[in-house]
Each structure stands twice: as C-alpha cells, then as structure tokens.
Amino acid sequence: TEKVLDRDGWFNTGDLGMLLEDGSLVLTGRAKDTIVLSNGENIEPGPLEEVLVASPLVDQVMLVGQDQRQLGALIVPNYEFLRSWAYENGFVLNEDLYGSSPDVSLMRKLRSEINYLLSNRAGSRIDERVMGIAFVQPFTIENGLLTQTLKQRRERISRRYEADIAAIYEN
C-alpha cells in the first residue's frame, strides 16, 4: 500500500538499521520507538535499554522522555539484587517498592549507577543520560504491557504509568 511504499518503490518497514562495511544490514530499532527530546535530539531507546537490563539491578526498563529535556526511566527492579546493593551502599530498601516513596538518596545513587552504565556504552552521547527514575510493576502479557512476542507496548506502558512519568519530570 502507499503507507509502506513510497513513490520510488522504497519499502518502509519502520525498522532502523545500519549497513556494515561488508554490506550486511544490522537492525537497531523501530522508528516509532524513537524518543525526540525538546532540544531536537533523537534517542533510540532499544540499545540503551539493552545495556540497562544487562545489569543485575534491572529486570525490565522502558526509557521515556518525548518532548522533555532529558530521558527518564521506568524500572522494574530485580528486587533481591537491589536489596543487597542498597544495603552495601548504606540504604535500607522498603519491602513494598511500589506502595511507598523510595528513599531520595537511594534513587539518586541508583540513577548515578544507571548513568554510569549508559556512559560506558560504545558511542555514548550526553543526551543519553537519565534525569529521573520510577519503580513500576512488571510488564507482562497478562497485564497487557507486553505483546505475545514479549515486546513492550510502549504506548500502553506510558499511559499506565503516566503519573510516575510526570513525577520524574516534576522533581
């Protein structure tokens, strides 16, 4: 259809990628997932989220920040690892991460750790730092936040955690 074929016959799949020197194509994300910050910088969240979920602190993450000055992160933490990490760093973690306001100093330390991970990524840019984080419940197929192929439903997650996203940018 005309939605995916332009007038030159280019098939627009909505995928982002790069051509390697050997001529092979590497897919790097989806165009619809691109976050455009208020300064006009385009951020592809996929590679950044991959770095963060490789950390034992994070089970799931979704970066946010459309039309904002900086990125924010909705984090589903690895509770057991987070508890021991918090203890090692002099903090006590509440049993209910979601029902109470987390310790501001703990969140600042965790944000620092996240930004350290992001800054050590090959090709890292200053715009790819997180200004705030919020703990959220896991994304699952059952709660409608993951597809059957386990992809995040970014729009649904953003709607469900709209108040948490607003709080990231208020603080």
Side-chain angles (χ1 to χ4, degrees):
T1 68
E2 289 180 9
K3 279 187 175 182
V4 296
L5 290 177
D6 71 13
R7 68 173 198 222
D8 297 324
W10 179 260
F11 180 50
N12 185 2
T13 65
D15 292 306
L16 299 174
M18 61 184 185
L19 284 174
L20 301 180
E21 288 181 17
D22 68 0
S24 58
L25 173 67
V26 176
L27 296 179
T28 58
R30 300 276 304 150
K32 69 180 182 177
D33 293 343
T34 300
I35 298 170
V36 182
L37 299 178
S38 62
N39 65 4
E41 286 295 321
N42 290 341
I43 308 291
E44 298 308 325
L48 304 176
E49 291 167 348
E50 287 175 18
V51 166
L52 296 178
V53 297
S55 165
L57 289 167
V58 178
D59 275 345
Q60 294 174 308
V61 63
M62 187 179 99
L63 295 178
V64 296
Q66 183 67 33
D67 299 324
Q68 298 291 336
R69 289 183 304 117
Q70 288 181 276
L71 294 174
L74 300 176
I75 294 178
V76 177
N78 174 335
Y79 183 77
E80 292 306 316
F81 192 88
L82 180 63
R83 183 171 38 186
S84 64
W85 178 86
Y87 179 78
E88 290 170 10
N89 285 282
F91 301 101
V92 177
L93 198 59
N94 294 335
E95 287 297 318
D96 181 12
L97 288 177
Y98 314 108
S100 61
S101 297
D103 181 302
V104 173
S105 298
L106 170 67
M107 296 301 271
R108 196 173 296 131
K109 176 74 174 163
L110 182 56
R111 184 186 68 216
S112 176
E113 180 69 18
I114 285 169
N115 284 328
Y116 174 78
L117 293 169
L118 292 173
S119 68
N120 283 329
R121 187 179 76 83
S124 171
R125 300 181 353 228
I126 194 71
D127 290 313
E128 297 172 337
R129 303 302 181 277
V130 170
M131 75 169 292
I133 58 177
F135 290 140
V136 296
Q137 296 284 344
F139 313 141
T140 66
I141 295 170
E142 292 74 28
N143 67 16
L145 301 181
L146 292 180
T147 67
Q148 293 295 321
T149 57
L150 304 180
K151 292 181 180 77
Q152 293 177 352
R153 294 184 170 189
R154 300 180 79 81
E155 189 175 310
R156 287 186 186 183
I157 294 169
S158 294
R159 276 196 314 266
R160 171 151 316 156
Y161 295 112
E162 189 174 355
D164 296 283
I165 293 168
I168 288 171
Y169 293 106
E170 287 171 3
N171 296 331

